[in-house]
Amino acid sequence: MTSPTPTLQAELNVALLQHTAKASTAEFFQFLEHEVAKCAQAGSQLIVLQELHNGPYFCQTEDLSQFDRAEPIPGPSTELLGKLANKHQVVIVGSLFEKRAPGLYHNCAVVLEKDGSLAGTYRKMHIPDDPGFYEKFYFTPGDSDGTYKGFEPISTSVGKLGVLVCWDQWYPEAARLMTLAGADLLIYPTAIGWDLNDDESEQKRQLDAWVTIQRSHAIANNLPVLSCNRSGFEQSPSDNDHNDNTSNRAESGIQFWGNSFVAGQQGELLAQAETNGEQTLLATINLTKTEQTRRIWPYLRDRRIDAYDALTKRYID
Amino acid sequence: MTSPTPTLQAELNVALLQHTAKASTAEFFQFLEHEVAKCAQAGSQLIVLQELHNGPYFCQTEDLSQFDRAEPIPGPSTELLGKLANKHQVVIVGSLFEKRAPGLYHNCAVVLEKDGSLAGTYRKMHIPDDPGFYEKFYFTPGDSDGTYKGFEPISTSVGKLGVLVCWDQWYPEAARLMTLAGADLLIYPTAIGWDLNDDESEQKRQLDAWVTIQRSHAIANNLPVLSCNRSGFEQSPSDNDHNDNTSNRAESGIQFWGNSFVAGQQGELLAQAETNGEQTLLATINLTKTEQTRRIWPYLRDRRIDAYDALTKRYID
């Protein structure tokens, strides 16, 4: 277990950096330096980046050469993120393609403390795989010790961060385990978008579902939720190199749907970004509202832990 | 385990009966007979009633005489519900105050088959207790065998019904266990409302949270959700007989907030009732959409059952 956060401040100013893919890591860090400076000047204390922010979303095809993007953690990116965090005295949540060993890679969130040190990492536990999002090819799922590890909050000067990544956001189990392990807030760096072959009503249902499921984690756990998503269209590197027979295939690319948001402890939207374009979303959350909310909506009090054993089953048959 | 549903029909016409409290069980059944006949004529095959529909919500105070309302199951109400179900060839989900033994009472959902037989029961597993909702005084929590029982769907001619009750709706665990045990849809008879001492913005947050958390169960499990809530104001029998020092106390009664709804497999709202007044809400759900949705949003495929053990802990400390 991580040690308790010494002083939980009531109000916390947060920023989410929603942006389109940059052509290179260098170009991204140039953009980031500018945005972090602006956020810090505006009073932000915690800055959340989107999933795999260093470059394009490279999982649209299965391509061996993409593994060259991976880097060790700590490594070059955590060093740059740490310098920025230290320079502007902010906590930064980033998302990197981790090379853990030759041939062993993770989708890894990193948290940099105000002093520039690496406060902790989280390796994405639930790995998706569907046309245009071939993540099971690239990412080994995060380790588990069979209890909750994997799902362990990261202690920082601004609170215990329940950092999860993208596909994790569809799993109430992940949010609950972070909560039980003491998270003060839930954070989702994300890269999700539309297959433009889907019609408008289907696209609307998908976006609504994405906002709703994450707001529900705020509600079920009485915790603020910060979700930072990619925006912009990213062309698929190739339409032909994956033998894919589904009609749902992303033929030409993904339209990342933005809509990064911050929700309070009752799931109420405190701030939400646009669908398109780059936007740095600022919001203030109140971490002490968790205890107030839990006193009158005490879900943790009434959980039927005597009847939940089968949650560790694949299916009851 | 219950046996598999022999034939899962694609389209199912459902009805939710949202109403104000009736003065007596006799008056309620008169109302019910009229509504069920109307629904059946309109083609409804499954009719869901609100929580403790026979009379007023009696848990606003702790009053020994209220236990006289309890009845055995099977008993007079299941007999009346069964007759109605048989007469109109519909499946009915009801909600009763069960007397299981002298001094042992449950908040129990009942399912009546088209032939009038009792298809099954569900005893509310999560019991709330807060000012104006003194349910822990009245209701013994449903039994568990330590795995999932308690959370077991009820097999009927229209599908396996994942019937849960009110406070259960805030628990993703309950919806998930019903899903893993094979539920074709989730059903929540409910009695929830506002403390009129709360201001309008707080009331809005609570109602939004209630809709959102239940829509999230549809999303996380790719199942339709039917939630039938009470409406109307019910005066508290007494403002003085409970030694309650909180400022949040329901001083004068509960304004039940209606808004019964039906959601599809992506959490999309198919139908929603008004806040006030009586309303019989009709909708058509498509049960075969579950498998279609799960093929492209395969949450069940990727659950990290190797890392969920701590879900059976009260807290990780």
Side-chain angles (χ1 to χ4, degrees), chain A residues 125-127 129 136 141-142 144 146-148 167 170-173 176-177 180 182 202 205 216 266 299 301-316, chain B residues 125-127 129 136 141-142 144 146-148 167 170-173 176-177 180 182 202 205 216 266 299 301-316:
Chain A
M125 290 288 282
H126 300 93
I127 309 294
D129 195 280
K136 287 194 194 294
S144 162
T147 60
Y148 71 100
W167 192 236
W170 301 95
Y171 292 83
E173 293 91 340
R176 183 69 98 202
L177 285 166
L180 296 179
E202 173 62 22
R205 281 193 298 277
S216 85
Q266 293 168 287
Y299 309 128
R301 180 190 68 190
D302 296 333
R303 292 177 71 241
R304 289 296 306 272
I305 54 174
D306 60 318
Y308 290 169
D309 274 6
L311 289 171
T312 58
K313 287 195 182 299
R314 182 67 66 211
Y315 202 70
I316 302 168
Chain B
M125 290 289 281
H126 300 94
I127 308 294
D129 195 281
K136 286 195 194 294
S144 162
T147 60
Y148 71 100
W167 191 236
W170 302 96
Y171 292 84
E173 293 92 340
R176 184 69 97 201
L177 286 166
L180 296 179
E202 173 62 21
R205 281 193 298 275
S216 84
Q266 293 168 286
Y299 309 129
R301 180 192 67 190
D302 295 333
R303 294 177 70 241
R304 289 297 305 272
I305 55 174
D306 60 318
Y308 290 168
D309 274 7
L311 290 170
T312 57
K313 287 196 182 297
R314 182 67 66 209
Y315 202 70
I316 302 168

XYZ file of all heavy atoms in Angstrom, chain A residues 125-127 129 136 141-142 144 146-148 167 170-173 176-177 180 182 202 205 216 266 299 301-316, chain B residues 125-127 129 136 141-142 144 146-148 167 170-173 176-177 180 182 202 205 216 266 299 301-316:
718
model
N -4.233 -2.238 -17.801
C -4.590 -3.606 -17.416
C -5.519 -4.274 -18.445
O -5.377 -5.457 -18.721
C -5.261 -3.590 -16.043
C -4.314 -3.248 -14.899
S -3.144 -4.597 -14.518
C -4.202 -5.706 -13.572
N -6.520 -3.530 -18.921
C -7.449 -4.082 -19.910
C -6.999 -3.624 -21.294
O -6.924 -2.423 -21.547
C -8.871 -3.593 -19.657
C -9.415 -3.976 -18.311
N -9.322 -3.148 -17.214
C -10.049 -5.097 -17.884
C -9.885 -3.749 -16.168
N -10.334 -4.933 -16.548
N -6.713 -4.565 -22.158
C -6.196 -4.243 -23.493
C -7.271 -4.567 -24.542
O -7.719 -5.717 -24.639
C -4.910 -5.046 -23.799
C -3.888 -4.887 -22.655
C -4.323 -4.604 -25.138
C -3.326 -3.501 -22.470
N -8.931 -4.874 -28.461
C -8.507 -5.277 -29.795
C -9.736 -5.317 -30.682
O -10.620 -6.160 -30.505
C -7.830 -6.651 -29.794
C -7.081 -6.878 -31.096
O -7.736 -7.225 -32.106
O -5.867 -6.676 -31.108
N -3.828 -5.453 -28.717
C -3.319 -6.711 -28.164
C -2.028 -7.143 -28.871
O -1.261 -7.931 -28.320
C -4.378 -7.817 -28.260
C -5.519 -7.664 -27.266
C -6.343 -8.946 -27.157
C -7.670 -8.744 -26.448
N -7.562 -8.378 -25.026
N -0.626 -6.880 -21.184
C -1.434 -6.338 -20.085
C -0.585 -6.136 -18.829
O 0.378 -6.877 -18.598
C -2.486 -7.433 -19.853
C -2.507 -8.239 -21.108
C -1.110 -8.187 -21.658
N -0.953 -5.150 -18.026
C -0.242 -4.891 -16.774
C -0.285 -6.095 -15.851
O -1.230 -6.885 -15.873
N -0.535 -8.444 -12.494
C -1.394 -8.517 -11.322
C -0.733 -9.427 -10.312
O -0.067 -10.387 -10.681
C -2.747 -9.125 -11.706
O -3.415 -9.578 -10.554
N -2.710 -10.890 -8.276
C -3.842 -11.749 -7.948
C -4.832 -11.107 -6.992
O -5.907 -11.630 -6.780
N -4.483 -9.942 -6.437
C -5.449 -9.278 -5.554
C -5.921 -7.995 -6.208
O -6.900 -7.985 -6.927
C -4.854 -9.020 -4.167
O -3.708 -8.181 -4.306
C -4.472 -10.319 -3.503
N -5.193 -6.896 -5.992
C -5.614 -5.655 -6.640
C -4.468 -5.017 -7.392
O -4.659 -4.097 -8.158
C -6.171 -4.656 -5.615
C -5.125 -4.060 -4.715
C -4.615 -2.790 -4.959
C -4.641 -4.777 -3.647
C -3.637 -2.263 -4.140
C -3.671 -4.258 -2.833
C -3.167 -2.992 -3.079
O -2.207 -2.478 -2.280
N -9.281 1.811 -22.426
C -10.200 0.653 -22.367
C -10.587 0.309 -20.928
O -11.692 -0.171 -20.667
C -9.548 -0.533 -23.081
C -10.390 -1.753 -23.397
C -10.129 -3.035 -23.015
C -11.589 -1.837 -24.204
N -11.072 -3.902 -23.519
C -11.988 -3.193 -24.256
C -12.372 -0.893 -24.874
C -13.115 -3.634 -24.952
C -13.505 -1.331 -25.572
C -13.859 -2.687 -25.599
N -14.108 1.323 -19.388
C -15.382 0.596 -19.543
C -15.606 -0.411 -18.417
O -16.642 -1.076 -18.385
C -15.403 -0.116 -20.899
C -15.244 0.835 -22.032
C -14.074 1.161 -22.678
C -16.256 1.653 -22.650
N -14.310 2.104 -23.649
C -15.647 2.418 -23.661
C -17.636 1.797 -22.438
C -16.353 3.328 -24.450
C -18.334 2.688 -23.228
C -17.700 3.438 -24.224
N -14.649 -0.526 -17.498
C -14.698 -1.556 -16.453
C -14.950 -0.949 -15.073
O -14.043 -0.377 -14.476
C -13.387 -2.365 -16.451
C -13.273 -3.183 -17.709
C -12.786 -2.630 -18.890
C -13.739 -4.489 -17.739
C -12.744 -3.368 -20.060
C -13.697 -5.230 -18.912
C -13.204 -4.661 -20.064
O -13.179 -5.390 -21.224
N -16.160 -1.119 -14.544
C -16.428 -0.630 -13.180
C -15.484 -1.267 -12.161
O -15.180 -0.666 -11.134
C -17.867 -1.076 -12.918
C -18.463 -1.323 -14.261
C -17.334 -1.738 -15.157
N -15.017 -2.477 -12.451
C -14.119 -3.174 -11.524
C -12.838 -2.364 -11.288
O -12.320 -2.303 -10.170
C -13.746 -4.560 -12.063
C -14.889 -5.575 -12.127
C -15.629 -5.581 -13.461
O -15.541 -4.582 -14.217
O -16.307 -6.599 -13.732
N -13.483 0.682 -9.154
C -13.771 0.281 -7.776
C -12.494 -0.123 -7.041
O -12.294 0.238 -5.876
C -14.758 -0.883 -7.771
C -15.172 -1.322 -6.398
C -16.042 -0.277 -5.698
N -17.447 -0.594 -5.825
C -18.429 0.305 -5.711
N -18.167 1.563 -5.466
N -19.690 -0.056 -5.834
N -11.621 -0.875 -7.708
C -10.395 -1.319 -7.045
C -9.506 -0.129 -6.712
O -8.895 -0.075 -5.632
C -9.665 -2.344 -7.917
C -10.324 -3.731 -7.925
C -9.771 -4.594 -9.054
C -10.151 -4.443 -6.575
N -11.064 1.388 -3.632
C -10.814 0.608 -2.403
C -9.369 0.748 -1.936
O -9.068 0.619 -0.751
C -11.150 -0.874 -2.638
C -12.613 -1.194 -2.942
C -12.784 -2.695 -3.164
C -13.538 -0.712 -1.820
N -7.777 3.475 -2.112
C -7.576 4.814 -1.548
C -7.456 5.960 -2.535
O -7.076 7.068 -2.129
N -25.192 6.030 -34.607
C -24.299 5.096 -33.922
C -23.134 5.860 -33.276
O -22.736 5.563 -32.138
C -23.768 4.042 -34.902
C -22.694 3.101 -34.355
C -23.145 2.245 -33.182
O -24.354 2.045 -33.016
O -22.264 1.787 -32.418
N -24.382 7.433 -30.103
C -24.546 6.462 -29.010
C -23.198 6.099 -28.398
O -23.062 5.966 -27.185
C -25.239 5.192 -29.520
C -26.743 5.313 -29.674
C -27.410 3.948 -29.876
N -26.976 3.280 -31.085
C -27.478 3.501 -32.302
N -28.448 4.380 -32.472
N -27.028 2.837 -33.346
N -20.268 7.453 -14.522
C -20.790 6.469 -13.560
C -19.732 6.038 -12.547
O -20.056 5.696 -11.416
C -21.369 5.252 -14.280
O -20.378 4.290 -14.604
N -20.559 13.551 -7.986
C -21.884 13.010 -8.307
C -22.021 12.775 -9.810
O -23.129 12.612 -10.320
C -22.966 13.983 -7.808
C -23.019 14.067 -6.279
C -23.881 15.240 -5.810
O -23.486 16.396 -5.908
N -25.069 14.938 -5.313
N -22.204 4.240 -0.421
C -22.162 2.973 -1.170
C -21.140 2.008 -0.581
O -21.358 0.793 -0.553
C -21.846 3.223 -2.642
C -22.723 4.270 -3.278
C -22.183 5.336 -3.978
C -24.115 4.198 -3.151
C -22.989 6.303 -4.549
C -24.931 5.166 -3.718
C -24.363 6.221 -4.419
O -25.164 7.177 -4.970
N -20.320 1.592 2.416
C -20.845 0.973 3.636
C -21.616 -0.306 3.339
O -21.548 -1.288 4.094
C -21.785 1.967 4.332
C -22.408 1.450 5.622
C -23.511 2.390 6.107
N -24.672 2.372 5.207
C -25.696 3.220 5.261
N -25.719 4.183 6.169
N -26.702 3.122 4.404
N -22.356 -0.312 2.240
C -23.342 -1.363 2.011
C -22.945 -2.402 0.963
O -23.781 -3.226 0.571
C -24.683 -0.731 1.618
C -25.279 0.111 2.746
O -24.981 -0.185 3.921
O -26.032 1.051 2.455
N -21.709 -2.355 0.477
C -21.304 -3.372 -0.504
C -21.458 -4.775 0.096
O -21.066 -5.000 1.234
C -19.846 -3.154 -0.962
C -19.673 -1.882 -1.777
C -18.206 -1.664 -2.158
N -17.764 -2.611 -3.155
C -16.775 -3.486 -2.979
N -16.109 -3.535 -1.827
N -16.453 -4.318 -3.934
N -21.987 -5.728 -0.705
C -22.217 -7.089 -0.214
C -20.989 -7.960 -0.511
O -21.034 -8.853 -1.357
C -23.476 -7.669 -0.866
C -24.764 -7.036 -0.365
C -24.977 -7.310 1.124
N -24.928 -8.732 1.421
C -25.990 -9.537 1.361
N -27.176 -9.065 1.034
N -25.862 -10.820 1.647
N -19.897 -7.646 0.247
C -18.644 -8.339 -0.045
C -18.730 -9.840 0.233
O -17.896 -10.608 -0.231
C -17.458 -7.717 0.727
C -17.735 -7.662 2.222
C -17.168 -6.319 0.212
C -16.530 -7.194 3.035
N -19.774 -10.246 0.958
C -19.994 -11.681 1.193
C -20.588 -12.368 -0.039
O -20.695 -13.598 -0.065
C -20.942 -11.878 2.388
C -22.300 -11.226 2.152
O -22.339 -10.087 1.620
O -23.338 -11.838 2.478
N -20.980 -11.576 -1.038
C -21.712 -12.154 -2.188
C -21.065 -11.809 -3.519
O -21.682 -11.957 -4.554
C -23.158 -11.667 -2.168
N -19.826 -11.342 -3.473
C -19.176 -10.861 -4.706
C -18.112 -11.822 -5.247
O -17.425 -11.476 -6.215
C -18.499 -9.510 -4.456
C -19.407 -8.319 -4.243
C -18.874 -7.119 -3.780
C -20.772 -8.357 -4.515
C -19.671 -5.997 -3.593
C -21.581 -7.239 -4.316
C -21.019 -6.062 -3.852
O -21.801 -4.957 -3.669
N -17.959 -12.990 -4.642
C -16.879 -13.895 -5.062
C -16.848 -14.146 -6.567
O -15.788 -14.220 -7.181
C -17.006 -15.255 -4.360
C -16.338 -15.245 -2.997
O -15.895 -14.163 -2.563
O -16.281 -16.315 -2.371
N -18.034 -14.270 -7.161
C -18.087 -14.676 -8.572
C -17.641 -13.569 -9.520
O -17.556 -13.798 -10.730
C -19.491 -15.164 -8.930
N -17.339 -12.389 -8.990
C -16.790 -11.338 -9.856
C -15.437 -11.739 -10.441
O -14.985 -11.169 -11.422
C -16.650 -10.014 -9.086
C -17.979 -9.331 -8.755
C -17.752 -8.165 -7.802
C -18.683 -8.844 -10.018
N -14.798 -12.731 -9.851
C -13.529 -13.207 -10.405
C -13.727 -14.362 -11.388
O -12.761 -14.979 -11.824
C -12.580 -13.673 -9.277
O -13.237 -14.689 -8.539
C -12.212 -12.520 -8.364
N -14.974 -14.644 -11.719
C -15.233 -15.671 -12.737
C -15.372 -15.030 -14.106
O -15.825 -13.893 -14.234
C -16.542 -16.423 -12.429
C -16.442 -17.379 -11.257
C -17.641 -18.311 -11.265
C -17.622 -19.257 -10.095
N -16.428 -20.131 -10.075
N -14.994 -15.780 -15.149
C -15.217 -15.310 -16.517
C -16.708 -15.260 -16.816
O -17.212 -14.308 -17.413
C -14.498 -16.257 -17.501
C -14.600 -15.856 -18.940
C -13.858 -14.571 -19.274
N -12.416 -14.713 -19.124
C -11.610 -13.698 -18.770
N -12.085 -12.497 -18.534
N -10.315 -13.896 -18.637
N -17.413 -16.306 -16.401
C -18.854 -16.419 -16.619
C -19.343 -17.485 -15.660
O -18.576 -18.368 -15.275
C -19.138 -16.815 -18.080
C -20.531 -16.463 -18.578
C -20.888 -15.138 -18.790
C -21.473 -17.459 -18.846
C -22.154 -14.802 -19.257
C -22.751 -17.127 -19.317
C -23.076 -15.803 -19.522
O -24.329 -15.480 -19.980
N -20.600 -17.416 -15.279
C -21.135 -18.407 -14.353
C -21.925 -19.428 -15.163
O -23.081 -19.203 -15.508
C -22.027 -17.740 -13.281
C -21.229 -16.679 -12.518
C -22.589 -18.785 -12.332
C -22.060 -15.766 -11.646
N -30.580 -7.118 -2.067
C -29.294 -7.461 -1.448
C -28.649 -6.259 -0.730
O -28.074 -6.417 0.337
C -28.347 -7.996 -2.518
C -28.733 -9.372 -3.053
S -28.465 -10.716 -1.874
C -26.680 -10.968 -2.028
N -28.683 -5.100 -1.361
C -28.092 -3.895 -0.758
C -29.225 -3.093 -0.104
O -30.157 -2.680 -0.787
C -27.396 -3.044 -1.807
C -26.282 -3.740 -2.525
N -26.466 -4.384 -3.729
C -24.964 -3.902 -2.209
C -25.305 -4.904 -4.122
N -24.376 -4.630 -3.221
N -29.110 -2.874 1.183
C -30.179 -2.176 1.911
C -29.680 -0.795 2.340
O -28.678 -0.689 3.057
C -30.605 -2.982 3.165
C -30.941 -4.441 2.780
C -31.778 -2.291 3.848
C -32.140 -4.619 1.892
N -29.901 3.052 4.196
C -30.429 3.651 5.419
C -29.940 5.085 5.481
O -28.743 5.332 5.648
C -29.970 2.879 6.664
C -30.801 3.259 7.870
O -30.539 4.344 8.454
O -31.729 2.511 8.214
N -32.923 -0.240 6.724
C -32.216 -1.270 7.506
C -33.039 -1.709 8.711
O -32.820 -2.798 9.251
C -30.836 -0.754 7.949
C -29.809 -0.690 6.819
C -28.396 -0.530 7.354
C -27.399 -0.134 6.296
N -27.158 -1.148 5.252
N -31.188 -8.084 4.626
C -30.595 -8.225 3.284
C -30.797 -9.639 2.743
O -30.846 -10.604 3.499
C -29.101 -7.957 3.534
C -29.031 -7.225 4.835
C -30.185 -7.730 5.653
N -30.901 -9.760 1.419
C -31.050 -11.070 0.794
C -29.874 -11.976 1.101
O -28.750 -11.516 1.290
N -26.880 -14.773 0.751
C -25.825 -15.078 -0.200
C -25.281 -16.453 0.110
O -25.234 -16.856 1.264
C -24.700 -14.054 -0.063
O -23.529 -14.554 -0.668
N -22.261 -16.952 -0.815
C -20.835 -16.638 -0.811
C -20.259 -16.509 -2.211
O -19.135 -16.064 -2.373
N -21.019 -16.897 -3.223
C -20.497 -16.738 -4.587
C -21.287 -15.654 -5.303
O -20.940 -14.495 -5.250
C -20.513 -18.062 -5.357
O -21.847 -18.531 -5.444
C -19.632 -19.077 -4.662
N -22.388 -16.046 -5.951
C -23.190 -15.016 -6.603
C -24.641 -15.087 -6.203
O -25.400 -14.192 -6.475
C -23.075 -15.126 -8.135
C -23.791 -16.330 -8.701
C -25.039 -16.208 -9.272
C -23.215 -17.590 -8.629
C -25.706 -17.326 -9.777
C -23.870 -18.697 -9.121
C -25.111 -18.556 -9.691
O -25.758 -19.654 -10.174
N -31.752 0.448 -4.236
C -30.374 0.757 -3.794
C -29.343 -0.106 -4.535
O -28.211 0.323 -4.762
C -30.282 0.571 -2.272
C -29.064 1.070 -1.542
C -28.248 0.310 -0.729
C -28.535 2.412 -1.480
N -27.262 1.096 -0.173
C -27.409 2.387 -0.615
C -28.899 3.628 -2.061
C -26.643 3.527 -0.323
C -28.142 4.762 -1.772
C -27.027 4.711 -0.924
N -27.126 1.329 -7.506
C -25.887 2.102 -7.380
C -24.650 1.213 -7.398
O -23.520 1.719 -7.347
C -25.914 2.934 -6.083
C -27.087 3.868 -6.050
C -28.305 3.641 -5.444
C -27.196 5.154 -6.675
N -29.138 4.710 -5.660
C -28.489 5.657 -6.406
C -26.313 5.937 -7.433
C -28.920 6.902 -6.876
C -26.748 7.174 -7.891
C -28.032 7.641 -7.616
N -24.840 -0.098 -7.483
C -23.728 -1.048 -7.369
C -23.432 -1.743 -8.696
O -24.179 -2.643 -9.112
C -24.042 -2.087 -6.285
C -24.061 -1.451 -4.915
C -25.192 -0.811 -4.434
C -22.903 -1.415 -4.146
C -25.191 -0.168 -3.204
C -22.890 -0.781 -2.912
C -24.040 -0.153 -2.455
O -24.015 0.490 -1.247
N -22.329 -1.378 -9.349
C -21.953 -2.071 -10.585
C -21.757 -3.566 -10.363
O -21.968 -4.367 -11.272
C -20.617 -1.412 -10.969
C -20.584 -0.108 -10.250
C -21.382 -0.300 -9.003
N -21.376 -3.933 -9.146
C -21.153 -5.347 -8.837
C -22.413 -6.173 -9.057
O -22.364 -7.312 -9.555
C -20.690 -5.515 -7.378
C -19.312 -4.957 -7.055
C -19.325 -3.507 -6.556
O -20.332 -2.790 -6.813
O -18.332 -3.089 -5.931
N -23.175 -6.594 -12.742
C -22.196 -7.495 -13.359
C -22.479 -8.941 -13.000
O -22.398 -9.832 -13.859
C -20.787 -7.115 -12.899
C -19.712 -7.916 -13.540
C -19.550 -7.611 -15.024
N -18.498 -6.660 -15.265
C -18.379 -5.912 -16.355
N -19.266 -6.006 -17.331
N -17.391 -5.064 -16.492
N -22.803 -9.203 -11.734
C -23.059 -10.585 -11.326
C -24.292 -11.139 -12.029
O -24.303 -12.305 -12.457
C -23.200 -10.676 -9.801
C -21.866 -10.546 -9.058
C -22.100 -10.308 -7.564
C -20.988 -11.784 -9.260
N -23.085 -11.990 -15.507
C -22.268 -13.203 -15.562
C -23.125 -14.458 -15.371
O -22.779 -15.536 -15.852
C -21.168 -13.162 -14.490
C -20.121 -12.053 -14.648
C -19.107 -12.118 -13.502
C -19.414 -12.130 -15.999
N -26.009 -14.755 -16.620
C -26.804 -14.999 -17.819
C -28.015 -14.119 -18.047
O -28.827 -14.411 -18.931
N -28.858 20.617 -6.350
C -28.561 19.322 -5.734
C -29.583 18.275 -6.203
O -29.213 17.128 -6.501
C -28.595 19.445 -4.204
C -28.469 18.127 -3.429
C -27.164 17.377 -3.657
O -26.175 18.003 -4.083
O -27.151 16.140 -3.435
N -28.587 17.168 -9.652
C -27.414 16.265 -9.645
C -27.813 14.853 -9.233
O -27.337 13.865 -9.782
C -26.332 16.795 -8.696
C -25.484 17.922 -9.273
C -24.239 18.188 -8.436
N -24.563 18.623 -7.079
C -24.826 19.876 -6.735
N -24.819 20.845 -7.631
N -25.096 20.181 -5.478
N -25.282 3.262 -17.112
C -23.927 2.687 -17.161
C -23.953 1.170 -17.022
O -23.080 0.483 -17.549
C -23.027 3.304 -16.088
O -23.185 2.679 -14.830
N -26.588 0.141 -25.385
C -25.499 1.125 -25.326
C -25.826 2.247 -24.336
O -25.189 3.291 -24.342
C -25.243 1.693 -26.727
C -24.676 0.651 -27.689
C -24.711 1.147 -29.128
O -25.763 1.218 -29.756
N -23.563 1.485 -29.675
N -16.500 -6.329 -23.700
C -15.968 -6.111 -22.345
C -15.777 -7.423 -21.600
O -14.830 -7.585 -20.834
C -16.912 -5.202 -21.552
C -17.265 -3.934 -22.277
C -18.584 -3.529 -22.429
C -16.266 -3.122 -22.827
C -18.907 -2.364 -23.106
C -16.584 -1.962 -23.508
C -17.907 -1.595 -23.647
O -18.229 -0.460 -24.326
N -14.884 -10.221 -22.717
C -13.661 -10.898 -23.180
C -12.431 -10.461 -22.386
O -11.549 -11.274 -22.093
C -13.442 -10.564 -24.658
C -12.209 -11.199 -25.284
C -11.894 -10.594 -26.656
N -11.486 -9.194 -26.545
C -11.336 -8.362 -27.589
N -11.599 -8.766 -28.813
N -10.955 -7.119 -27.392
N -12.389 -9.183 -22.025
C -11.136 -8.614 -21.512
C -11.117 -8.354 -20.005
O -10.185 -7.722 -19.511
C -10.839 -7.301 -22.255
C -10.569 -7.541 -23.744
O -10.110 -8.646 -24.090
O -10.800 -6.618 -24.550
N -12.144 -8.807 -19.287
C -12.123 -8.602 -17.832
C -10.873 -9.262 -17.236
O -10.544 -10.390 -17.569
C -13.379 -9.165 -17.160
C -14.649 -8.414 -17.554
C -15.881 -9.053 -16.929
N -15.922 -8.855 -15.487
C -15.920 -9.832 -14.591
N -15.873 -11.098 -14.970
N -15.960 -9.557 -13.299
N -10.200 -8.549 -16.282
C -8.971 -9.066 -15.673
C -9.312 -9.864 -14.418
O -9.028 -9.430 -13.287
C -8.022 -7.898 -15.365
C -7.404 -7.270 -16.597
C -6.519 -8.253 -17.356
N -5.502 -8.833 -16.502
C -4.303 -8.291 -16.291
N -3.966 -7.172 -16.901
N -3.430 -8.880 -15.510
N -9.921 -11.033 -14.644
C -10.402 -11.812 -13.503
C -9.259 -12.297 -12.618
O -9.472 -12.691 -11.481
C -11.286 -13.003 -13.951
C -10.552 -13.886 -14.965
C -12.584 -12.499 -14.556
C -11.320 -15.148 -15.317
N -8.028 -12.231 -13.149
C -6.861 -12.584 -12.339
C -6.484 -11.472 -11.360
O -5.612 -11.677 -10.504
C -5.657 -12.863 -13.249
C -5.297 -11.661 -14.097
O -6.221 -10.994 -14.625
O -4.097 -11.351 -14.237
N -7.125 -10.303 -11.497
C -6.714 -9.143 -10.698
C -7.873 -8.526 -9.917
O -7.779 -7.398 -9.445
C -6.101 -8.082 -11.626
N -8.979 -9.264 -9.819
C -10.185 -8.691 -9.199
C -10.457 -9.209 -7.783
O -11.510 -8.897 -7.213
C -11.420 -9.002 -10.057
C -11.517 -8.285 -11.388
C -12.473 -8.698 -12.321
C -10.711 -7.200 -11.720
C -12.617 -8.052 -13.541
C -10.847 -6.564 -12.942
C -11.799 -6.999 -13.849
O -11.949 -6.365 -15.059
N -9.556 -10.022 -7.234
C -9.837 -10.634 -5.927
C -10.259 -9.625 -4.864
O -11.139 -9.902 -4.040
C -8.591 -11.371 -5.401
C -8.506 -12.786 -5.941
O -9.330 -13.136 -6.808
O -7.606 -13.525 -5.500
N -9.636 -8.464 -4.877
C -9.879 -7.504 -3.791
C -11.254 -6.845 -3.866
O -11.619 -6.089 -2.971
C -8.784 -6.440 -3.755
N -12.030 -7.162 -4.908
C -13.410 -6.654 -4.947
C -14.248 -7.206 -3.801
O -15.296 -6.667 -3.475
C -14.071 -6.998 -6.293
C -13.522 -6.215 -7.495
C -14.067 -6.789 -8.797
C -13.857 -4.730 -7.377
N -13.777 -8.280 -3.193
C -14.505 -8.826 -2.039
C -13.995 -8.250 -0.716
O -14.384 -8.709 0.352
C -14.393 -10.364 -1.981
O -13.014 -10.705 -1.944
C -15.038 -11.002 -3.199
N -13.138 -7.263 -0.795
C -12.673 -6.593 0.438
C -13.531 -5.359 0.718
O -14.033 -4.718 -0.203
C -11.221 -6.137 0.282
C -10.212 -7.260 0.310
C -8.813 -6.674 0.552
C -7.759 -7.758 0.535
N -7.923 -8.757 1.604
N -13.684 -5.038 2.000
C -14.384 -3.814 2.365
C -13.556 -2.608 1.925
O -14.079 -1.634 1.381
C -14.613 -3.788 3.897
C -15.367 -2.581 4.408
C -16.822 -2.551 3.948
N -17.593 -3.642 4.519
C -18.648 -4.192 3.904
N -19.058 -3.755 2.728
N -19.303 -5.190 4.463
N -12.250 -2.671 2.168
C -11.327 -1.594 1.815
C -9.940 -2.210 1.853
O -9.720 -3.201 2.552
C -11.435 -0.448 2.843
C -10.965 0.893 2.342
C -11.693 1.593 1.369
C -9.805 1.480 2.849
C -11.262 2.832 0.913
C -9.371 2.722 2.398
C -10.105 3.388 1.428
O -9.686 4.615 0.981
N -9.033 -1.645 1.080
C -7.674 -2.191 1.059
C -6.811 -1.319 1.956
O -6.335 -0.259 1.548
C -7.130 -2.230 -0.379
C -8.055 -3.073 -1.277
C -5.704 -2.773 -0.398
C -7.780 -2.943 -2.769
